[in-house]
Amino acid sequence: GIAAVSALGFPAIVGAASKKVVIVGGGVGGATAAKYIRMADSSIDVTLIEPNEHYYTCFMSNEVLSGHRQMDSIKVGYEGLKGHGVNVVHDTVTDVDAAGKMVKTDGGQSFAYDRCIVAPGISFKDNIEGYDAAAMTAMPHAWKAGEQTVILRKQLEAMKDGGVVGIAAPPNPFRCPPGPYERACQIAMYLQEHKPKSKVVILDSKDKFSKFGLFQQAFAKHFPNHIEWVAAKDGGKVTRVDAASNTLYVGDTAHKVDVANVIPAQQAGAIAIKAGLTNDSGWCPIDGRTFESTMHKGVHVIGDASVASPLPKSGYAANSEGKTAAAAVVALLNGKEPGDPSLVNTCYSIIGPNDAISVAMVYDLVDGKLSKVKGSGGLTPKDSSPEMRAREVNYAYSWFENIKHD
Ligand code: FAD
């Protein structure tokens, strides 16, 4: 009798076992993970917590700055995820308790989980003296899209012809390595057409950057009078700002500008730091197979916040990592061994009229480490034809529509 009860009882217990996933952050990484978990196993209860009712993509936000597109085209809602049965909660997570398997919010809600996925993106370091909350409005970073993008666009529109736009580019590692340089090209396109006596000066914290040769070629070819790039070694590293006078300081050297776009050094989103998911680097170390944190079991970290190098901190990488973590979480919650991941990234930059470039790569796991698959990717050749460059613009727009949909 006893044996029969336990034999019957065991599957009942398995069937009733909770499979709850809580996702912190509904950006690219978090939203992708939520959708793909539900698609793979609809018996898993997925709650996604995100403060904003709409998400503005950073990708293509540089085209908002040039006036080539409007904010509405980079705006995404959460109805699609609700359609997949994701429980979307608009609130801010204040605590991830890995020992108690519990997430708490600013609004006073608590969510128990079996596995948690943390995808809060980035926060800013205070490497630039004087760049406080007020300075952030006066000298927008526009490195999180939305209100910041709108402020910077309005400043560009209000600027007089003959004005100087100063971009303070951040040190490595940071979100979207080609981003500041694509931005310079986009702003320069706007200036060339509408305020031709103006220029962009990039004050850089680095001596080299992503797609370096291709960008140098674009600056010289498209914008010889409209873009000036100053390497760190030549006095480019901004250390202090004065928002009242729109001045960027490199040590004691003052650069007074008309519009300042200050992009500070970066680290994982604040909640990842608070939850003890970061190491000394300020980013979250993970197991490359599952994206499970090496600091706290049961918590996975994806997107910009994670240390996924050699993958860059890009939206496409965050999308790929979201799918990888989703597959791993589904396997683990079903008592299976997670498989070997394969990830992909392409970053397009639109660098001039009918001119775009890209860098692409496939990644896999070698001896437990994320690695580039030799020969899988590549960079736009410097001498590629105008037809090819124009085609890359279309590829970029097509990529954008696809990832936004996903
Ligand atoms: P995010 O997309 O930033 O999402 C994080 C989310 O978490 C946010 O919605 C935030 O509100 C939420 N959150 C934060 N804290 C909490 C909390 N405590 N509780 C609840 N929610 C929280 N990538 C490309 O692949 N291609 C490009 O062409 C490209 N262009 C770019 C251009 C620019 C100008 C910039 C700045 C970036 C660009 N990127 C591009 C990079 C891309 O935007 C990021 O890599 C991507 O957004 C990372 O996704 P994520 O999910 O890690 O973070």
Side-chain angles (χ1 to χ4, degrees):
I2 291 164
V5 168
S6 56
L8 284 170
F10 183 60
I13 290 164
V14 169
S18 86
K19 288 193 279 182
K20 279 192 168 61
V21 175
V22 173
I23 301 180
V24 181
V28 185
T32 306
K35 171 180 165 183
Y36 280 82
I37 290 171
R38 292 287 308 165
M39 281 170 60
D41 183 348
S42 61
S43 75
I44 298 177
D45 183 51
V46 177
T47 298
L48 179 137
I49 309 173
E50 159 67 45
N52 302 312
E53 305 220 342
H54 294 99
Y55 176 82
Y56 289 92
T57 66
C58 283
F59 25 94
M60 294 298 167
S61 70
N62 286 331
E63 281 208 330
V64 173
L65 300 178
S66 61
H68 290 163
R69 70 170 62 237
Q70 302 298 316
M71 287 298 286
D72 258 1
S73 74
I74 61 169
K75 183 180 178 182
V76 183
Y78 289 92
E79 294 72 24
L81 284 182
K82 289 176 193 160
H84 282 284
V86 176
N87 175 30
V88 179
V89 175
H90 292 297
D91 204 340
T92 300
V93 172
T94 50
D95 191 38
V96 179
D97 171 8
K101 296 194 161 188
M102 183 75 77
V103 166
K104 292 194 174 128
T105 69
D106 200 31
Q109 306 183 78
S110 295
F111 299 89
Y113 67 79
D114 298 295
R115 295 224 159 238
C116 181
I117 299 179
V118 175
I122 56 153
S123 62
F124 298 112
K125 288 187 174 175
D126 50 3
N127 65 315
I128 298 178
E129 202 187 319
Y131 197 67
D132 54 16
M136 211 173 265
T137 305
M139 306 174 131
H141 51 77
W143 221 241
K144 296 183 183 186
E147 191 193 354
Q148 280 274 313
T149 317
V150 174
I151 296 172
L152 185 53
R153 172 62 188 162
K154 282 191 177 150
Q155 290 185 354
L156 292 167
E157 283 179 304
M159 190 181 80
K160 65 172 193 276
D161 192 7
V164 173
V165 180
I167 299 179
N172 290 324
F174 65 102
R175 154 178 287 184
C176 195
Y181 314 98
E182 181 195 54
R183 173 170 293 178
C185 294
Q186 286 290 328
I187 293 175
M189 273 194 269
Y190 168 69
L191 299 180
Q192 244 173 7
E193 200 177 332
H194 299 279
K195 299 171 186 184
K197 288 183 280 193
S198 313
K199 68 171 177 179
V200 179
V201 176
I202 310 166
L203 296 170
D204 212 325
S205 299
K206 306 175 292 305
D207 292 330
K208 239 196 133 186
F209 53 83
S210 169
K211 308 178 196 164
F212 188 72
L214 286 164
F215 273 111
Q216 295 294 329
Q217 185 188 48
F219 294 169
K221 183 182 169 204
H222 296 303
F223 313 110
N225 304 315
H226 290 97
I227 293 182
E228 189 186 320
W229 175 69
V230 184
K233 64 174 165 46
D234 301 322
K237 189 178 176 181
V238 173
T239 49
R240 180 162 65 96
V241 296
D242 178 44
S245 63
N246 247 347
T247 309
L248 306 170
Y249 288 92
V250 177
D252 291 332
T253 308
H255 296 268
K256 198 170 159 27
V257 298
D258 297 277
V259 171
N261 170 213
V262 176
I263 311 166
Q266 293 155 37
Q267 59 192 356
I271 186 64
I273 299 170
K274 192 179 174 203
L277 294 164
T278 52
N279 62 17
D280 287 346
S281 72
W283 305 98
C284 306
I286 47 97
D287 172 334
R289 181 183 300 276
T290 57
F291 282 77
E292 184 165 1
S293 165
T294 56
M295 314 286 287
H296 287 302
K297 289 271 158 258
V299 181
H300 302 248
V301 185
I302 55 172
D304 290 350
S306 70
V307 181
S309 167
L311 277 88
K313 298 189 183 301
S314 80
Y316 202 6
N319 173 267
S320 219
E321 293 163 18
K323 290 169 184 171
T324 302
V329 162
V330 168
L332 289 164
L333 288 179
N334 286 294
K336 291 183 185 147
E337 191 69 26
D340 274 0
S342 174
L343 299 100
V344 63
N345 180 65
T346 304
C347 280
Y348 293 97
S349 303
I350 303 177
I351 57 169
N354 301 312
D355 192 351
I357 55 177
S358 61
V359 59
M361 189 60 65
V362 180
Y363 305 85
D364 66 0
L365 208 65
V366 178
D367 300 329
K369 276 191 154 157
L370 290 168
S371 311
K372 294 180 177 181
V373 174
K374 282 209 178 72
S376 66
L379 194 63
T380 301
K382 261 187 162 176
D383 59 358
S384 66
S385 67
E387 292 72 26
M388 187 60 205
R389 293 298 185 90
R391 216 176 291 152
E392 290 223 50
V393 176
N394 287 328
Y395 294 158
Y397 291 152
S398 158
W399 171 85
F400 175 60
E401 292 307 326
N402 284 323
I403 195 165
K404 223 173 28 159
H405 178 81
D406 204 15

